[in-house]
Amino acid sequence: MSDTGFVLHGAVTWCEDPKSIRSFPDAYVVCVNGICRGVYEELPAEYANLPQEDFWDKLIIPGMTDLHTHAPQYQFRGLHMDLELMDWLEQYAFPEEAAYKRRLYAERAYDLFVEELYCGATTRAVIFATKHVGATLRLMDLLEETGLVTYVGKVNMDRNVPDYYCETTEESLAATKKWLKKAEGRYERTSPILTPRFTPACSRELLAGLAELRKEYRLPVQSHVSESPQEIELVRELEKGISCYADSYDRCGLLGAEPKTVLAHGVWSDETEIALLAERGVFLAHCPQSNWNVRSGIAPVRKFLDAGVPVGLGSDVAGGSTTSIFTAMKDAVQASKMYWRYVCPDEAPLTLPEVFYMATKGGGAFFGNVGSFEPGYEFDAVVLDDSAYPTMRELTPAERLERLLYLSDDRAIVGKYVRGSRLY
Amino acid sequence: MSDTGFVLHGAVTWCEDPKSIRSFPDAYVVCVNGICRGVYEELPAEYANLPQEDFWDKLIIPGMTDLHTHAPQYQFRGLHMDLELMDWLEQYAFPEEAAYKRRLYAERAYDLFVEELYCGATTRAVIFATKHVGATLRLMDLLEETGLVTYVGKVNMDRNVPDYYCETTEESLAATKKWLKKAEGRYERTSPILTPRFTPACSRELLAGLAELRKEYRLPVQSHVSESPQEIELVRELEKGISCYADSYDRCGLLGAEPKTVLAHGVWSDETEIALLAERGVFLAHCPQSNWNVRSGIAPVRKFLDAGVPVGLGSDVAGGSTTSIFTAMKDAVQASKMYWRYVCPDEAPLTLPEVFYMATKGGGAFFGNVGSFEPGYEFDAVVLDDSAYPTMRELTPAERLERLLYLSDDRAIVGKYVRGSRLY
């Protein structure tokens, strides 16, 4: 089969490391067989015959990864901002998630979530569903249709969850196997991820059972860690003898880099926990807005970065109110400034390159070579029209990017490519 | 002259006090001669002959007040988020403001700012211009055309500002008088407000001169107070013997309730300062996003409220990146949660009714009876279409309002009334 490819022309900006932003006001990004061949100010002769899409002065950036979100909480995004995590789960999240038992509700509700994800700058996402096998498969079907590349998890819970939404250990593991069987061979872009909700809701037996599935099916894992003080206190009561919250996963064999694991939050992670995640190669999903909204606090992101933990950004809908990773970048900068001001004056606030890196290559690494325009990366790109935010200034591509963090909404997104295929 | 009026029909929500939100899913708001006559679930017979505008299920709320913003900084909103206040002023704000010396630049740049204010939910605003008389009058002309009701201030500065943008005390006072003379009788909706930039940039002589103008012309005053630690340190060095930062204004006669004064920020106000503002009846403009972006901190809003200081919200463009007071409401809630978490666990986070009150009646009080649908209030209203944010849920008007804090952009605004006149 001969090569197929194309060239995008426009203003291009991307991040190869957290220290600097690469950008050209007028350049070509080349895609061949779904893989990026790099960015060029002058198009090399070998690509001269590829079809070109001319975006003129529009901004072309790598697709973004949402490393942590809850699809079934989307219906109450922007609502119920009055409680702390544990009460918020009990009063708002669990009752809503339980509704996904009804197929028609799940179908219609997930349609709305998937449509928003499709319209935004996110090209990859790691997603919590509910405990329901049918609804989770329906979510996967809908996501597969969009062309986005995602991991989706049926949620496991066997304790400290209201009866109407809990499972027994056996039910939870059996349903997970059923789900994995049904998902097998069904998707090109949508993969299952093991999803123990969090230690307060998962017995050691359940975690150990999931660890067996992890080994057997070579599956990645997603969960939560050290989000709120009340939650951590409960984990310490439930699981005596752990060195840190994350140890409750580690001792069951759920943390590792191959297959990968991602834990959300780490707001209250101490040195021990950060070192454990670094050692195991576990990804941290930083979800700054959710951490504000349910009053958890501000994660020590720079400590994770310094320790070598791979960090990406998560929208964490509906603790976070929006699926926008632009907003997550802005929130991460703002939160880090308050962390510097009130918690740790030695820890410099996050910079624009750092949050851009996390939003693209940092989180993208959970999917492999994703989130950069370096040669060899899977070709995910988003094309942005920022003309709705007028200014008298001449802006560099990096300045245009910074404005989009603070000003953009889905109107700005006029083109989207995933693995070299154009979605719109 | 006979009465003229109209009735709006839709879902209506408003705040009469900071403790509760009033709302009806299906009601009538009555306006006669520019004044609100109240909200009714059944339209009283006496208003039955007034023309009705039927907004069906759209949400009708009082217009919002932006109690603090800088029109000439709008061009770099969403940019330059990497410095603390004093360096940020020196490197970004002063050079930009200096450009307003050029009439053509000022004209075009202010056009963009005014257009955004016109399109948003703000019906009243208190605005810093630059030191330039010509540009300030042009801004006032443009604002007057929109139908919005605003206070606009020519900025005064005679020290610690780069030469290219500073004034001498005499120049500053003379230019202010010239500006006041030119503005006199020129506007129906646009009023001058005295605008000493802040104590670091204003000598005692300048402040005293402005206080004389305050008395002579019965003019309100706007300025800044206790925004960042570096700034406060400078004030303490410059003005020995003051009891608090605000005392530097007070001892010159610039603080009072009649004519009114509004000070922005108060992030680091202590008990002495809060008590002084309360005693003088000074308004506080709370600008949470700006306080994050230039790393100042989080204002102790509940302490101001408890002390009886009237509090409204400010966008503080371009320390804040957006003119949206919906966003300011959201930011105020989020910031207060982190204040509770990291600074003062006894101080409960701000509630939805509290921030809605501040955004409407709280800030509106700077303009008189403004920001509520109580009978006797000037009729400012905004009509919102939230159908772009789909959900499976049936929402109350208050829940719809809460979502708009977190999800809305200017697309949501489909109708706007100021003093009983429809703008669009």
Side-chain angles (χ1 to χ4, degrees):
Chain A
M1 201 179 84
S2 68
D3 288 348
T4 58
F6 56 84
V7 176
L8 307 187
H9 176 228
V12 185
T13 186
W14 76 104
C15 237
E16 298 184 3
D17 63 68
K19 295 216 183 305
S20 61
I21 291 178
R22 307 277 322 260
S23 65
F24 297 105
D26 183 353
Y28 301 87
V29 201
V30 180
C31 172
V32 175
N33 295 335
I35 301 299
C36 188
R37 291 286 179 93
V39 180
Y40 302 93
E41 286 195 271
E42 295 199 20
L43 191 63
E46 55 181 315
Y47 304 128
N49 291 325
L50 292 178
Q52 277 191 30
E53 184 77 40
D54 204 329
F55 289 112
W56 300 100
D57 62 343
K58 294 192 176 57
L59 191 64
I60 304 169
I61 66 170
M64 292 181 179
T65 292
D66 186 343
L67 207 48
H68 180 71
T69 195
H70 294 261
Q73 295 175 9
Y74 178 75
Q75 301 306 317
F76 68 89
R77 72 201 182 285
L79 289 171
H80 306 323
M81 297 301 195
D82 58 336
L83 293 178
E84 275 191 83
L85 175 67
M86 299 305 277
D87 296 328
W88 178 90
L89 284 169
E90 190 92 11
Q91 285 200 36
Y92 304 126
F94 294 150
E96 174 68 19
E97 291 189 20
Y100 285 71
K101 182 180 178 178
R102 290 151 49 211
R103 286 187 86 114
L104 196 60
Y105 185 87
E107 166 105 18
R108 289 183 180 171
Y110 279 149
D111 242 348
L112 297 178
F113 168 78
V114 169
E115 173 72 8
E116 180 164 313
L117 209 62
Y118 175 76
C119 291
T122 297
T123 57
R124 313 266 172 157
V126 186
I127 304 171
F128 274 59
T130 62
K131 74 165 188 175
H132 313 99
V133 172
T136 303
L137 288 164
R138 190 62 197 133
L139 172 61
M140 295 172 83
D141 294 348
L142 290 167
L143 285 164
E144 178 76 9
E145 279 172 40
T146 60
L148 301 172
V149 178
T150 58
Y151 284 108
V152 177
K154 172 244 173 298
V155 176
N156 302 98
M157 307 163 289
D158 69 346
R159 64 177 179 184
N160 295 317
V161 170
D163 285 347
Y164 65 82
Y165 188 45
C166 207
E167 308 164 299
T168 66
T169 314
E170 296 68 34
E171 281 168 359
S172 189
L173 291 170
T176 305
K177 284 177 201 163
K178 183 177 158 193
W179 163 62
L180 291 172
K181 202 160 187 85
K182 290 207 173 192
E184 209 173 343
R186 186 160 160 169
Y187 307 109
E188 277 179 44
R189 291 173 287 271
T190 316
S191 309
I193 182 168
L194 294 171
T195 306
R197 181 160 211 127
F198 63 163
T199 301
C202 299
S203 71
R204 201 193 285 209
E205 294 67 37
L206 179 56
L207 294 179
L210 292 171
E212 278 178 35
L213 293 178
R214 173 177 183 258
K215 260 199 253 174
E216 187 185 336
Y217 291 82
R218 307 284 309 149
L219 286 172
V221 175
Q222 64 179 343
S223 193
H224 298 90
V225 77
S226 296
E227 181 174 359
S228 92
Q230 287 175 325
E231 171 210 21
I232 295 164
E233 203 177 317
L234 180 56
V235 169
R236 295 254 175 216
E237 270 170 40
L238 290 166
E239 303 297 334
K240 307 287 183 204
I242 48 174
S243 65
C244 61
Y245 184 156
D247 186 27
S248 64
Y249 302 124
D250 190 53
R251 66 180 182 180
C252 295
L254 282 167
L255 303 189
E258 200 44 55
K260 294 187 177 75
T261 307
V262 57
L263 297 178
H265 306 306
V267 173
W268 298 94
S269 294
D270 58 13
E271 278 180 31
T272 306
E273 187 158 271
I274 293 171
L276 176 62
L277 299 194
E279 202 182 316
R280 295 285 183 267
V282 169
F283 280 70
L284 183 86
H286 175 42
C287 309
Q289 193 188 109
S290 169
N291 297 336
W292 283 336
N293 286 339
V294 297
R295 305 191 202 177
S296 300
I298 302 171
V301 181
R302 191 166 296 291
K303 290 193 178 79
F304 284 103
L305 293 174
D306 290 348
V309 174
V311 181
L313 296 174
S315 66
D316 196 21
V317 166
S321 58
T322 166
T323 57
S324 168
I325 299 300
F326 281 119
T327 300
M329 289 166 70
K330 166 184 77 71
D331 292 340
V333 170
Q334 289 174 338
S336 73
K337 288 173 176 174
M338 291 304 97
Y339 191 82
W340 165 83
R341 173 61 77 195
Y342 289 112
V343 186
C344 188
D346 296 333
E347 211 156 298
L350 295 173
T351 63
L352 180 64
E354 285 171 331
V355 295
F356 188 34
Y357 180 86
M358 287 187 229
T360 54
K361 193 172 171 181
F366 196 78
F367 291 83
N369 284 333
V370 169
S372 175
F373 288 145
E374 291 160 75
Y377 271 65
E378 293 186 41
F379 194 87
D380 287 14
V382 174
V383 186
L384 299 148
D385 178 356
D386 53 358
S387 61
Y389 321 108
T391 179
M392 303 283 288
R393 299 202 171 183
E394 284 290 321
L395 301 174
T396 66
E399 287 175 326
R400 292 171 64 185
L401 174 76
E402 184 172 20
R403 274 160 44 96
L404 286 165
L405 270 60
Y406 292 88
L407 305 179
S408 83
D409 53 60
D410 55 29
R411 276 175 294 190
I413 299 156
V414 295
K416 191 163 166 175
Y417 297 79
V418 185
R419 286 183 177 165
S421 293
R422 184 164 190 176
L423 272 51
Y424 49 86
Chain B
M1 203 180 79
S2 68
D3 288 348
T4 59
F6 56 86
V7 177
L8 307 186
H9 176 228
V12 185
T13 185
W14 74 105
C15 238
E16 299 184 2
D17 62 68
K19 296 214 183 304
S20 62
I21 291 178
R22 307 279 320 262
S23 66
F24 297 105
D26 183 352
Y28 301 87
V29 201
V30 180
C31 172
V32 175
N33 296 334
I35 302 298
C36 189
R37 291 285 179 92
V39 180
Y40 303 93
E41 287 195 89
E42 294 200 20
L43 190 64
E46 55 180 316
Y47 305 128
N49 291 325
L50 291 179
Q52 278 191 31
E53 184 77 41
D54 203 329
F55 289 110
W56 300 99
D57 61 344
K58 293 192 177 59
L59 192 64
I60 304 169
I61 65 170
M64 293 183 177
T65 292
D66 186 344
L67 206 49
H68 181 70
T69 195
H70 294 261
Q73 295 175 11
Y74 178 76
Q75 301 306 318
F76 68 89
R77 71 202 182 286
L79 289 171
H80 306 324
M81 297 302 194
D82 58 336
L83 293 178
E84 274 191 84
L85 175 68
M86 299 305 277
D87 297 327
W88 179 90
L89 284 169
E90 190 92 12
Q91 285 199 38
Y92 304 126
F94 293 151
E96 175 68 20
E97 291 188 20
Y100 286 70
K101 182 179 179 178
R102 291 152 49 212
R103 286 188 86 113
L104 196 58
Y105 185 87
E107 167 105 17
R108 290 183 179 173
Y110 279 149
D111 241 349
L112 297 179
F113 168 78
V114 169
E115 174 71 8
E116 180 163 313
L117 209 62
Y118 175 76
C119 291
T122 297
T123 56
R124 313 265 171 157
V126 186
I127 303 170
F128 275 59
T130 63
K131 74 165 189 175
H132 312 100
V133 171
T136 303
L137 288 164
R138 190 61 198 132
L139 173 61
M140 295 172 82
D141 293 349
L142 290 168
L143 285 164
E144 178 76 9
E145 279 173 40
T146 61
L148 301 172
V149 178
T150 58
Y151 284 109
V152 177
K154 173 243 174 296
V155 175
N156 301 98
M157 306 163 290
D158 69 348
R159 65 178 178 182
N160 296 317
V161 170
D163 285 347
Y164 66 81
Y165 189 45
C166 206
E167 309 165 299
T168 66
T169 314
E170 296 68 32
E171 281 169 358
S172 188
L173 291 170
T176 305
K177 285 177 201 164
K178 183 177 158 196
W179 164 61
L180 291 172
K181 203 161 186 83
K182 290 207 174 193
E184 209 173 344
R186 185 159 161 171
Y187 306 109
E188 276 180 44
R189 290 173 288 270
T190 317
S191 308
I193 181 169
L194 293 171
T195 306
R197 183 161 208 125
F198 64 163
T199 301
C202 299
S203 71
R204 202 191 285 209
E205 294 68 36
L206 179 56
L207 294 180
L210 292 171
E212 279 178 35
L213 293 177
R214 174 177 183 257
K215 262 198 254 175
E216 189 185 335
Y217 290 82
R218 308 284 308 149
L219 286 172
V221 175
Q222 65 178 343
S223 194
H224 299 90
V225 77
S226 297
E227 181 174 359
S228 92
Q230 287 176 326
E231 171 210 20
I232 295 163
E233 203 177 317
L234 180 56
V235 169
R236 294 256 175 213
E237 271 171 38
L238 289 166
E239 303 297 332
K240 308 285 184 207
I242 49 175
S243 67
C244 60
Y245 185 157
D247 186 28
S248 64
Y249 303 123
D250 190 52
R251 66 181 182 181
C252 295
L254 281 166
L255 302 189
E258 199 45 54
K260 294 187 176 74
T261 307
V262 57
L263 297 178
H265 306 306
V267 172
W268 298 96
S269 295
D270 59 12
E271 278 180 32
T272 307
E273 187 158 271
I274 293 171
L276 177 62
L277 300 194
E279 201 182 318
R280 296 285 182 268
V282 170
F283 280 70
L284 182 86
H286 175 42
C287 308
Q289 193 188 111
S290 169
N291 297 336
W292 284 335
N293 286 339
V294 296
R295 305 189 202 179
S296 301
I298 302 170
V301 182
R302 190 165 298 292
K303 290 193 178 78
F304 283 103
L305 293 173
D306 290 349
V309 174
V311 180
L313 296 174
S315 65
D316 196 21
V317 166
S321 58
T322 166
T323 56
S324 168
I325 299 300
F326 280 119
T327 301
M329 289 165 70
K330 166 185 78 71
D331 292 339
V333 170
Q334 290 175 337
S336 72
K337 287 173 176 174
M338 291 304 97
Y339 191 82
W340 165 82
R341 173 62 77 194
Y342 289 112
V343 186
C344 190
D346 296 334
E347 210 155 298
L350 295 173
T351 63
L352 180 65
E354 285 172 330
V355 295
F356 188 33
Y357 181 86
M358 287 186 227
T360 53
K361 193 173 171 180
F366 196 78
F367 291 83
N369 285 333
V370 169
S372 175
F373 288 145
E374 291 159 75
Y377 271 65
E378 295 185 44
F379 193 88
D380 287 15
V382 173
V383 185
L384 299 148
D385 178 357
D386 53 359
S387 60
Y389 321 109
T391 179
M392 303 283 287
R393 300 203 169 182
E394 283 289 321
L395 301 175
T396 66
E399 287 176 326
R400 292 171 64 185
L401 174 77
E402 184 172 20
R403 274 160 45 96
L404 286 165
L405 269 60
Y406 292 88
L407 305 178
S408 84
D409 53 61
D410 55 31
R411 276 175 293 189
I413 299 156
V414 295
K416 191 162 166 176
Y417 298 78
V418 185
R419 285 184 178 166
S421 292
R422 184 165 190 176
L423 272 51
Y424 50 85

